Amino acid sequence: MEELKLITPYSMFAPSEQFPSSDELPEGASVVKWTDRPVGAQFDLKANVVYQELSGEQQHLQIITPLDMLAPPDAPSKTYPLIVYIPGSAWHRQNVWIALTRMIEASQRGYVVAIVE
């Protein structure tokens, strides 16, 4: 009698074939790396900013901006690099709040983050 084995969806492929990946980046893109550390910097969250209306339905951005609480009120505005975060949704409505904690951490490290719907 032959022994039956349970095969999970990805176990039939070699590990290198399970999740294809590439080290190539589109032109102009870069990788941001940082190590986790306690953070407590201030940030500003502008929620549900309408950026377009498509077929009668509004599309929104959640914009997180770092705040320099030590800067004097009349100091010139700083410019920051931008991270555009697009949550996956498998063609359903995105949960734009699911990665909010990680995106706030990026903002606290000096990035403006736009979470795109």
Side-chain angles (χ1 to χ4, degrees), residues 24-32 82:
E24 294 181 36
L25 291 174
E27 185 177 324
S30 61
V31 175
V32 177
L82 172 67

Side-chain angles (χ1 to χ4, degrees), residues 3-100:
E3 182 180 332
L4 297 175
K5 294 181 181 178
L6 176 62
I7 299 176
T8 60
Y10 296 107
S11 65
M12 65 182 83
F13 300 108
S16 63
E17 297 173 344
Q18 289 181 13
F19 299 102
S21 64
S22 171
D23 293 332
E24 294 181 36
L25 291 174
E27 185 177 324
S30 61
V31 175
V32 177
K33 295 182 180 182
W34 67 72
T35 57
D36 283 337
R37 60 180 171 77
V39 292
Q42 300 294 314
F43 64 92
D44 180 48
L45 171 64
K46 290 180 178 56
N48 299 317
V49 176
V50 176
Y51 71 93
Q52 80 170 355
E53 189 168 318
L54 189 61
S55 299
E57 189 170 330
Q58 293 180 337
Q59 303 296 304
H60 302 90
L61 293 172
Q62 315 310 318
I63 303 172
I64 308 166
T65 309
L67 293 179
D68 185 356
M69 300 305 287
L70 300 177
D74 58 346
S77 297
K78 288 185 175 181
T79 58
Y80 298 97
L82 172 67
I83 295 173
V84 177
Y85 178 73
I86 305 169
S89 65
W91 299 104
H92 299 281
R93 183 175 283 295
Q94 296 100 333
N95 180 351
V96 295
W97 306 109
I98 199 161
L100 185 62

